[in-house]
Amino acid sequence: MPDSKEKKRTYGQWWDTTEEEVTVPLDAVRRVVTAGLQAGGASPDDAAYLMDIFLNKALQGDHARGLGRLPGLVSAAKRGSLDFKAKIRVLRETTSTALVAAGPKGFSPLVCRQAMALAIGKAKEHGIGWVSAQTSGLILTPHVRQAVDEGMVGMVFTQSFPTVAPLGGTTPLLGNAPIAFGIPAGDHDPVILDMSVTESSASGVFLSAQQGQQSPEGAVLDERGNPTTDAHEFVKLDWMERGVMVARGSLQPLGRGHKGYAMVFIVGLLTYLLSDTSPPWELAPDLPRQGQGGTSLVAIDPGVFAPADMLRGRVDQFIDTVKSAPKKAGVTEILYPGERSAKLQREGKESGTLSIPASHYHGLVGLATEVGMEGAL
């Protein structure tokens, strides 16, 4: 049935679906998605892990990165284009570092899950673990959350395909520098930052182009390097028709100047170097032979610096001081990174239902039929 609930999204997410939405039981979604992922070869544990990644995005109202892609991923796994069972191989290793790979078909979230687990193990023994994986990260929050759940500080940096032109240039050569940090707290939800170092994510602009909407002012440059609000000026239309995003224009770096550009440059360079993979300009989906991206996953045991309980208390004090700061007129609450996302996920799970775009609903209905669960939704 159509959803009549108020729209709820995380701050910074300007994009939204224009489709009618359908409200479905949350438990039914979990069962169908988990069964579909297992049908694609994922273990029960990995299927539950992947389900949570995409479900949490949908609960936050981020349908550009939510459940809509799952039926396609399951189909790709069944065809053999993706491997939900790939295990990492350690290529190089020291006591606190490692370089790992799982082959070109290894599904990134599962490869990064294994890599972060290795980093956490090293951090428990040596205070820090840095593991670089030869795969491009997809959604980074789950991996820093892995570290947080073990009482660790987590950091992730990943290489993405070219969507950003060098400052003063016109051709997208650099990725949008996705980064994530996770810091455990005491009484509060953990501090979680997951963002690209650009004015907008690429997926939001792509969704706007698909829906014939404009992008915000200052977010996008066209292929001549001029500011534009026409989302079509960012993507190559012939590739968009295939459901694949290839940039012809450029995302603006944060601040639209040299500081954001420098961060984009550094993240792209470091992930390329420390994972022994391809530079970002070799990752474009329309290249005859696409390169391999890389991700660095870091876990730090804060207990090597001070007692863990004391540090968690300090995080709470830091949060409380910031949240109690004097507010501007019209501001009801000051938030910290990750707070609203955690609240939206919690509220959605407590409600027992989920509102998703109609196309995502029909995709899940098709997936349910494939796995013998017709009528589950």
Side-chain angles (χ1 to χ4, degrees), residues 251-282:
L251 298 175
Q252 287 263 48
L254 276 181
R256 309 174 206 171
H258 68 281
K259 292 184 178 180
Y261 160 66
M263 285 295 298
V264 167
F265 184 98
I266 290 296
V267 173
L269 176 60
L270 279 179
T271 49
Y272 156 53
L273 287 179
L274 299 182
S275 60
D276 192 19
T277 51
S278 306
W281 50 87
E282 293 182 3

PDB file of all heavy atoms in Angstrom, residues 251-282:
ATOM      1  N   LEU A 251      32.081  16.108 -10.140  1.00  0.00           N
ATOM      2  CA  LEU A 251      31.606  16.535  -8.833  1.00  0.00           C
ATOM      3  C   LEU A 251      32.545  17.607  -8.304  1.00  0.00           C
ATOM      4  O   LEU A 251      33.758  17.540  -8.507  1.00  0.00           O
ATOM      5  CB  LEU A 251      31.582  15.357  -7.859  1.00  0.00           C
ATOM      6  CG  LEU A 251      30.674  14.180  -8.195  1.00  0.00           C
ATOM      7  CD1 LEU A 251      30.870  13.066  -7.172  1.00  0.00           C
ATOM      8  CD2 LEU A 251      29.212  14.603  -8.237  1.00  0.00           C
ATOM      9  N   GLN A 252      31.978  18.587  -7.597  1.00  0.00           N
ATOM     10  CA  GLN A 252      32.804  19.621  -6.986  1.00  0.00           C
ATOM     11  C   GLN A 252      33.409  19.092  -5.685  1.00  0.00           C
ATOM     12  O   GLN A 252      32.700  18.497  -4.856  1.00  0.00           O
ATOM     13  CB  GLN A 252      31.945  20.847  -6.666  1.00  0.00           C
ATOM     14  CG  GLN A 252      31.520  21.654  -7.878  1.00  0.00           C
ATOM     15  CD  GLN A 252      32.443  22.833  -8.098  1.00  0.00           C
ATOM     16  OE1 GLN A 252      33.660  22.699  -8.082  1.00  0.00           O
ATOM     17  NE2 GLN A 252      31.854  23.998  -8.319  1.00  0.00           N
ATOM     18  N   PRO A 253      34.711  19.282  -5.449  1.00  0.00           N
ATOM     19  CA  PRO A 253      35.288  18.910  -4.154  1.00  0.00           C
ATOM     20  C   PRO A 253      34.697  19.772  -3.044  1.00  0.00           C
ATOM     21  O   PRO A 253      34.180  20.861  -3.297  1.00  0.00           O
ATOM     22  CB  PRO A 253      36.783  19.173  -4.340  1.00  0.00           C
ATOM     23  CG  PRO A 253      36.867  20.168  -5.441  1.00  0.00           C
ATOM     24  CD  PRO A 253      35.712  19.883  -6.354  1.00  0.00           C
ATOM     25  N   LEU A 254      34.749  19.281  -1.817  1.00  0.00           N
ATOM     26  CA  LEU A 254      34.240  20.044  -0.685  1.00  0.00           C
ATOM     27  C   LEU A 254      34.845  21.443  -0.656  1.00  0.00           C
ATOM     28  O   LEU A 254      36.056  21.603  -0.786  1.00  0.00           O
ATOM     29  CB  LEU A 254      34.582  19.332   0.631  1.00  0.00           C
ATOM     30  CG  LEU A 254      33.651  18.223   1.098  1.00  0.00           C
ATOM     31  CD1 LEU A 254      34.143  17.664   2.422  1.00  0.00           C
ATOM     32  CD2 LEU A 254      32.214  18.709   1.235  1.00  0.00           C
ATOM     33  N   GLY A 255      34.003  22.430  -0.475  1.00  0.00           N
ATOM     34  CA  GLY A 255      34.475  23.811  -0.448  1.00  0.00           C
ATOM     35  C   GLY A 255      34.704  24.400  -1.822  1.00  0.00           C
ATOM     36  O   GLY A 255      34.966  25.593  -1.954  1.00  0.00           O
ATOM     37  N   ARG A 256      34.651  23.528  -2.856  1.00  0.00           N
ATOM     38  CA  ARG A 256      34.791  23.955  -4.263  1.00  0.00           C
ATOM     39  C   ARG A 256      36.131  24.628  -4.535  1.00  0.00           C
ATOM     40  O   ARG A 256      36.242  25.455  -5.441  1.00  0.00           O
ATOM     41  CB  ARG A 256      33.645  24.900  -4.655  1.00  0.00           C
ATOM     42  CG  ARG A 256      32.278  24.364  -4.336  1.00  0.00           C
ATOM     43  CD  ARG A 256      31.201  25.394  -4.602  1.00  0.00           C
ATOM     44  NE  ARG A 256      30.033  25.152  -3.762  1.00  0.00           N
ATOM     45  CZ  ARG A 256      29.018  25.978  -3.646  1.00  0.00           C
ATOM     46  NH1 ARG A 256      29.007  27.126  -4.292  1.00  0.00           N
ATOM     47  NH2 ARG A 256      28.007  25.682  -2.863  1.00  0.00           N
ATOM     48  N   GLY A 257      37.128  24.284  -3.741  1.00  0.00           N
ATOM     49  CA  GLY A 257      38.423  24.928  -3.924  1.00  0.00           C
ATOM     50  C   GLY A 257      39.574  23.988  -3.646  1.00  0.00           C
ATOM     51  O   GLY A 257      39.436  22.764  -3.673  1.00  0.00           O
ATOM     52  N   HIS A 258      40.732  24.570  -3.318  1.00  0.00           N
ATOM     53  CA  HIS A 258      41.961  23.788  -3.253  1.00  0.00           C
ATOM     54  C   HIS A 258      42.013  22.836  -2.065  1.00  0.00           C
ATOM     55  O   HIS A 258      42.655  21.786  -2.149  1.00  0.00           O
ATOM     56  CB  HIS A 258      43.175  24.735  -3.218  1.00  0.00           C
ATOM     57  CG  HIS A 258      43.300  25.527  -1.967  1.00  0.00           C
ATOM     58  ND1 HIS A 258      42.549  26.663  -1.715  1.00  0.00           N
ATOM     59  CD2 HIS A 258      44.093  25.351  -0.871  1.00  0.00           C
ATOM     60  CE1 HIS A 258      42.878  27.150  -0.542  1.00  0.00           C
ATOM     61  NE2 HIS A 258      43.805  26.380   0.009  1.00  0.00           N
ATOM     62  N   LYS A 259      41.312  23.156  -0.967  1.00  0.00           N
ATOM     63  CA  LYS A 259      41.394  22.275   0.201  1.00  0.00           C
ATOM     64  C   LYS A 259      40.671  20.955  -0.054  1.00  0.00           C
ATOM     65  O   LYS A 259      41.202  19.870   0.227  1.00  0.00           O
ATOM     66  CB  LYS A 259      40.831  22.981   1.438  1.00  0.00           C
ATOM     67  CG  LYS A 259      41.692  24.149   1.912  1.00  0.00           C
ATOM     68  CD  LYS A 259      41.151  24.768   3.192  1.00  0.00           C
ATOM     69  CE  LYS A 259      42.052  25.910   3.664  1.00  0.00           C
ATOM     70  NZ  LYS A 259      41.559  26.536   4.916  1.00  0.00           N
ATOM     71  N   GLY A 260      39.453  21.031  -0.550  1.00  0.00           N
ATOM     72  CA  GLY A 260      38.727  19.801  -0.876  1.00  0.00           C
ATOM     73  C   GLY A 260      39.410  19.014  -1.970  1.00  0.00           C
ATOM     74  O   GLY A 260      39.507  17.784  -1.908  1.00  0.00           O
ATOM     75  N   TYR A 261      39.904  19.724  -2.985  1.00  0.00           N
ATOM     76  CA  TYR A 261      40.626  19.050  -4.073  1.00  0.00           C
ATOM     77  C   TYR A 261      41.855  18.328  -3.549  1.00  0.00           C
ATOM     78  O   TYR A 261      42.146  17.188  -3.933  1.00  0.00           O
ATOM     79  CB  TYR A 261      41.018  20.074  -5.139  1.00  0.00           C
ATOM     80  CG  TYR A 261      42.147  19.623  -6.033  1.00  0.00           C
ATOM     81  CD1 TYR A 261      41.992  18.543  -6.904  1.00  0.00           C
ATOM     82  CD2 TYR A 261      43.387  20.264  -5.991  1.00  0.00           C
ATOM     83  CE1 TYR A 261      43.040  18.118  -7.707  1.00  0.00           C
ATOM     84  CE2 TYR A 261      44.427  19.858  -6.788  1.00  0.00           C
ATOM     85  CZ  TYR A 261      44.251  18.781  -7.644  1.00  0.00           C
ATOM     86  OH  TYR A 261      45.294  18.361  -8.440  1.00  0.00           O
ATOM     87  N   ALA A 262      42.583  18.956  -2.626  1.00  0.00           N
ATOM     88  CA  ALA A 262      43.787  18.333  -2.069  1.00  0.00           C
ATOM     89  C   ALA A 262      43.444  17.049  -1.324  1.00  0.00           C
ATOM     90  O   ALA A 262      44.171  16.041  -1.416  1.00  0.00           O
ATOM     91  CB  ALA A 262      44.504  19.309  -1.142  1.00  0.00           C
ATOM     92  N   MET A 263      42.324  17.039  -0.595  1.00  0.00           N
ATOM     93  CA  MET A 263      41.897  15.831   0.104  1.00  0.00           C
ATOM     94  C   MET A 263      41.523  14.732  -0.882  1.00  0.00           C
ATOM     95  O   MET A 263      41.868  13.559  -0.695  1.00  0.00           O
ATOM     96  CB  MET A 263      40.715  16.146   1.016  1.00  0.00           C
ATOM     97  CG  MET A 263      41.083  16.899   2.278  1.00  0.00           C
ATOM     98  SD  MET A 263      42.148  15.909   3.363  1.00  0.00           S
ATOM     99  CE  MET A 263      41.073  14.534   3.748  1.00  0.00           C
ATOM    100  N   VAL A 264      40.797  15.095  -1.933  1.00  0.00           N
ATOM    101  CA  VAL A 264      40.449  14.122  -2.984  1.00  0.00           C
ATOM    102  C   VAL A 264      41.714  13.518  -3.588  1.00  0.00           C
ATOM    103  O   VAL A 264      41.820  12.303  -3.791  1.00  0.00           O
ATOM    104  CB  VAL A 264      39.588  14.803  -4.074  1.00  0.00           C
ATOM    105  CG1 VAL A 264      39.490  13.930  -5.317  1.00  0.00           C
ATOM    106  CG2 VAL A 264      38.196  15.114  -3.528  1.00  0.00           C
ATOM    107  N   PHE A 265      42.682  14.369  -3.854  1.00  0.00           N
ATOM    108  CA  PHE A 265      43.955  13.927  -4.445  1.00  0.00           C
ATOM    109  C   PHE A 265      44.667  12.956  -3.500  1.00  0.00           C
ATOM    110  O   PHE A 265      45.124  11.882  -3.923  1.00  0.00           O
ATOM    111  CB  PHE A 265      44.829  15.151  -4.718  1.00  0.00           C
ATOM    112  CG  PHE A 265      46.130  14.853  -5.404  1.00  0.00           C
ATOM    113  CD1 PHE A 265      46.261  15.024  -6.777  1.00  0.00           C
ATOM    114  CD2 PHE A 265      47.237  14.410  -4.687  1.00  0.00           C
ATOM    115  CE1 PHE A 265      47.462  14.737  -7.423  1.00  0.00           C
ATOM    116  CE2 PHE A 265      48.436  14.124  -5.317  1.00  0.00           C
ATOM    117  CZ  PHE A 265      48.552  14.296  -6.693  1.00  0.00           C
ATOM    118  N   ILE A 266      44.773  13.320  -2.222  1.00  0.00           N
ATOM    119  CA  ILE A 266      45.526  12.515  -1.257  1.00  0.00           C
ATOM    120  C   ILE A 266      44.878  11.154  -1.046  1.00  0.00           C
ATOM    121  O   ILE A 266      45.561  10.114  -1.025  1.00  0.00           O
ATOM    122  CB  ILE A 266      45.656  13.262   0.084  1.00  0.00           C
ATOM    123  CG1 ILE A 266      46.603  14.459  -0.057  1.00  0.00           C
ATOM    124  CG2 ILE A 266      46.134  12.326   1.186  1.00  0.00           C
ATOM    125  CD1 ILE A 266      48.037  14.089  -0.376  1.00  0.00           C
ATOM    126  N   VAL A 267      43.546  11.112  -0.867  1.00  0.00           N
ATOM    127  CA  VAL A 267      42.870   9.829  -0.660  1.00  0.00           C
ATOM    128  C   VAL A 267      43.036   8.937  -1.884  1.00  0.00           C
ATOM    129  O   VAL A 267      43.313   7.736  -1.766  1.00  0.00           O
ATOM    130  CB  VAL A 267      41.379  10.046  -0.328  1.00  0.00           C
ATOM    131  CG1 VAL A 267      40.635   8.705  -0.291  1.00  0.00           C
ATOM    132  CG2 VAL A 267      41.222  10.758   1.015  1.00  0.00           C
ATOM    133  N   GLY A 268      42.909   9.526  -3.072  1.00  0.00           N
ATOM    134  CA  GLY A 268      43.101   8.734  -4.286  1.00  0.00           C
ATOM    135  C   GLY A 268      44.506   8.188  -4.407  1.00  0.00           C
ATOM    136  O   GLY A 268      44.712   7.028  -4.773  1.00  0.00           O
ATOM    137  N   LEU A 269      45.492   9.013  -4.086  1.00  0.00           N
ATOM    138  CA  LEU A 269      46.890   8.594  -4.192  1.00  0.00           C
ATOM    139  C   LEU A 269      47.223   7.509  -3.169  1.00  0.00           C
ATOM    140  O   LEU A 269      47.831   6.483  -3.502  1.00  0.00           O
ATOM    141  CB  LEU A 269      47.802   9.803  -4.009  1.00  0.00           C
ATOM    142  CG  LEU A 269      49.313   9.537  -3.997  1.00  0.00           C
ATOM    143  CD1 LEU A 269      49.774   8.898  -5.304  1.00  0.00           C
ATOM    144  CD2 LEU A 269      50.086  10.819  -3.721  1.00  0.00           C
ATOM    145  N   LEU A 270      46.828   7.718  -1.918  1.00  0.00           N
ATOM    146  CA  LEU A 270      47.182   6.760  -0.869  1.00  0.00           C
ATOM    147  C   LEU A 270      46.517   5.400  -1.076  1.00  0.00           C
ATOM    148  O   LEU A 270      47.154   4.357  -0.910  1.00  0.00           O
ATOM    149  CB  LEU A 270      46.807   7.320   0.505  1.00  0.00           C
ATOM    150  CG  LEU A 270      47.784   8.316   1.122  1.00  0.00           C
ATOM    151  CD1 LEU A 270      47.262   8.792   2.470  1.00  0.00           C
ATOM    152  CD2 LEU A 270      49.169   7.694   1.287  1.00  0.00           C
ATOM    153  N   THR A 271      45.236   5.391  -1.428  1.00  0.00           N
ATOM    154  CA  THR A 271      44.574   4.100  -1.618  1.00  0.00           C
ATOM    155  C   THR A 271      45.157   3.354  -2.812  1.00  0.00           C
ATOM    156  O   THR A 271      45.242   2.123  -2.808  1.00  0.00           O
ATOM    157  CB  THR A 271      43.054   4.277  -1.795  1.00  0.00           C
ATOM    158  OG1 THR A 271      42.798   5.297  -2.773  1.00  0.00           O
ATOM    159  CG2 THR A 271      42.394   4.683  -0.494  1.00  0.00           C
ATOM    160  N   TYR A 272      45.581   4.085  -3.811  1.00  0.00           N
ATOM    161  CA  TYR A 272      46.238   3.487  -4.975  1.00  0.00           C
ATOM    162  C   TYR A 272      47.584   2.884  -4.581  1.00  0.00           C
ATOM    163  O   TYR A 272      47.895   1.725  -4.875  1.00  0.00           O
ATOM    164  CB  TYR A 272      46.363   4.564  -6.042  1.00  0.00           C
ATOM    165  CG  TYR A 272      47.438   4.403  -7.082  1.00  0.00           C
ATOM    166  CD1 TYR A 272      47.558   3.233  -7.826  1.00  0.00           C
ATOM    167  CD2 TYR A 272      48.316   5.459  -7.351  1.00  0.00           C
ATOM    168  CE1 TYR A 272      48.536   3.117  -8.805  1.00  0.00           C
ATOM    169  CE2 TYR A 272      49.288   5.348  -8.323  1.00  0.00           C
ATOM    170  CZ  TYR A 272      49.402   4.174  -9.052  1.00  0.00           C
ATOM    171  OH  TYR A 272      50.364   4.056 -10.017  1.00  0.00           O
ATOM    172  N   LEU A 273      48.385   3.657  -3.849  1.00  0.00           N
ATOM    173  CA  LEU A 273      49.727   3.200  -3.480  1.00  0.00           C
ATOM    174  C   LEU A 273      49.706   2.053  -2.472  1.00  0.00           C
ATOM    175  O   LEU A 273      50.405   1.048  -2.628  1.00  0.00           O
ATOM    176  CB  LEU A 273      50.524   4.363  -2.883  1.00  0.00           C
ATOM    177  CG  LEU A 273      51.008   5.456  -3.828  1.00  0.00           C
ATOM    178  CD1 LEU A 273      51.747   6.521  -3.032  1.00  0.00           C
ATOM    179  CD2 LEU A 273      51.913   4.884  -4.908  1.00  0.00           C
ATOM    180  N   LEU A 274      48.878   2.192  -1.421  1.00  0.00           N
ATOM    181  CA  LEU A 274      48.947   1.258  -0.303  1.00  0.00           C
ATOM    182  C   LEU A 274      48.161  -0.027  -0.534  1.00  0.00           C
ATOM    183  O   LEU A 274      48.222  -0.939   0.291  1.00  0.00           O
ATOM    184  CB  LEU A 274      48.479   1.946   0.981  1.00  0.00           C
ATOM    185  CG  LEU A 274      49.309   3.167   1.399  1.00  0.00           C
ATOM    186  CD1 LEU A 274      48.791   3.752   2.697  1.00  0.00           C
ATOM    187  CD2 LEU A 274      50.795   2.818   1.524  1.00  0.00           C
ATOM    188  N   SER A 275      47.445  -0.101  -1.649  1.00  0.00           N
ATOM    189  CA  SER A 275      46.779  -1.360  -1.989  1.00  0.00           C
ATOM    190  C   SER A 275      47.390  -2.010  -3.226  1.00  0.00           C
ATOM    191  O   SER A 275      46.961  -3.093  -3.621  1.00  0.00           O
ATOM    192  CB  SER A 275      45.282  -1.125  -2.210  1.00  0.00           C
ATOM    193  OG  SER A 275      45.073  -0.211  -3.276  1.00  0.00           O
ATOM    194  N   ASP A 276      48.393  -1.344  -3.821  1.00  0.00           N
ATOM    195  CA  ASP A 276      49.057  -1.876  -5.018  1.00  0.00           C
ATOM    196  C   ASP A 276      48.030  -2.196  -6.108  1.00  0.00           C
ATOM    197  O   ASP A 276      47.979  -3.299  -6.646  1.00  0.00           O
ATOM    198  CB  ASP A 276      49.874  -3.131  -4.666  1.00  0.00           C
ATOM    199  CG  ASP A 276      50.808  -3.550  -5.794  1.00  0.00           C
ATOM    200  OD1 ASP A 276      51.090  -2.709  -6.677  1.00  0.00           O
ATOM    201  OD2 ASP A 276      51.241  -4.726  -5.804  1.00  0.00           O
ATOM    202  N   THR A 277      47.193  -1.182  -6.404  1.00  0.00           N
ATOM    203  CA  THR A 277      46.131  -1.364  -7.396  1.00  0.00           C
ATOM    204  C   THR A 277      46.232  -0.301  -8.477  1.00  0.00           C
ATOM    205  O   THR A 277      47.307   0.221  -8.738  1.00  0.00           O
ATOM    206  CB  THR A 277      44.752  -1.328  -6.709  1.00  0.00           C
ATOM    207  OG1 THR A 277      44.660  -0.152  -5.885  1.00  0.00           O
ATOM    208  CG2 THR A 277      44.540  -2.575  -5.851  1.00  0.00           C
ATOM    209  N   SER A 278      45.106   0.056  -9.076  1.00  0.00           N
ATOM    210  CA  SER A 278      45.096   0.984 -10.209  1.00  0.00           C
ATOM    211  C   SER A 278      44.811   2.413  -9.746  1.00  0.00           C
ATOM    212  O   SER A 278      44.106   2.619  -8.754  1.00  0.00           O
ATOM    213  CB  SER A 278      44.020   0.571 -11.213  1.00  0.00           C
ATOM    214  OG  SER A 278      44.177  -0.772 -11.611  1.00  0.00           O
ATOM    215  N   PRO A 279      45.322   3.410 -10.470  1.00  0.00           N
ATOM    216  CA  PRO A 279      44.939   4.792 -10.183  1.00  0.00           C
ATOM    217  C   PRO A 279      43.473   4.997 -10.566  1.00  0.00           C
ATOM    218  O   PRO A 279      42.915   4.225 -11.355  1.00  0.00           O
ATOM    219  CB  PRO A 279      45.877   5.618 -11.074  1.00  0.00           C
ATOM    220  CG  PRO A 279      46.225   4.705 -12.199  1.00  0.00           C
ATOM    221  CD  PRO A 279      46.251   3.317 -11.625  1.00  0.00           C
ATOM    222  N   PRO A 280      42.827   6.028 -10.031  1.00  0.00           N
ATOM    223  CA  PRO A 280      41.379   6.173 -10.250  1.00  0.00           C
ATOM    224  C   PRO A 280      40.974   6.304 -11.703  1.00  0.00           C
ATOM    225  O   PRO A 280      39.906   5.828 -12.098  1.00  0.00           O
ATOM    226  CB  PRO A 280      41.024   7.424  -9.438  1.00  0.00           C
ATOM    227  CG  PRO A 280      42.319   8.117  -9.178  1.00  0.00           C
ATOM    228  CD  PRO A 280      43.358   7.060  -9.133  1.00  0.00           C
ATOM    229  N   TRP A 281      41.809   6.943 -12.538  1.00  0.00           N
ATOM    230  CA  TRP A 281      41.402   7.138 -13.935  1.00  0.00           C
ATOM    231  C   TRP A 281      41.378   5.834 -14.724  1.00  0.00           C
ATOM    232  O   TRP A 281      40.870   5.793 -15.837  1.00  0.00           O
ATOM    233  CB  TRP A 281      42.298   8.160 -14.629  1.00  0.00           C
ATOM    234  CG  TRP A 281      43.768   7.919 -14.458  1.00  0.00           C
ATOM    235  CD1 TRP A 281      44.569   7.123 -15.222  1.00  0.00           C
ATOM    236  CD2 TRP A 281      44.620   8.496 -13.460  1.00  0.00           C
ATOM    237  NE1 TRP A 281      45.863   7.160 -14.767  1.00  0.00           N
ATOM    238  CE2 TRP A 281      45.930   7.998 -13.681  1.00  0.00           C
ATOM    239  CE3 TRP A 281      44.414   9.386 -12.406  1.00  0.00           C
ATOM    240  CZ2 TRP A 281      47.011   8.364 -12.881  1.00  0.00           C
ATOM    241  CZ3 TRP A 281      45.479   9.740 -11.616  1.00  0.00           C
ATOM    242  CH2 TRP A 281      46.759   9.240 -11.852  1.00  0.00           C
ATOM    243  N   GLU A 282      41.899   4.749 -14.152  1.00  0.00           N
ATOM    244  CA  GLU A 282      41.810   3.453 -14.816  1.00  0.00           C
ATOM    245  C   GLU A 282      40.620   2.617 -14.328  1.00  0.00           C
ATOM    246  O   GLU A 282      40.498   1.445 -14.675  1.00  0.00           O
ATOM    247  CB  GLU A 282      43.113   2.677 -14.607  1.00  0.00           C
ATOM    248  CG  GLU A 282      44.315   3.288 -15.313  1.00  0.00           C
ATOM    249  CD  GLU A 282      45.589   2.480 -15.124  1.00  0.00           C
ATOM    250  OE1 GLU A 282      45.526   1.402 -14.488  1.00  0.00           O
ATOM    251  OE2 GLU A 282      46.647   2.940 -15.614  1.00  0.00           O
TER     252      GLU A 282
END
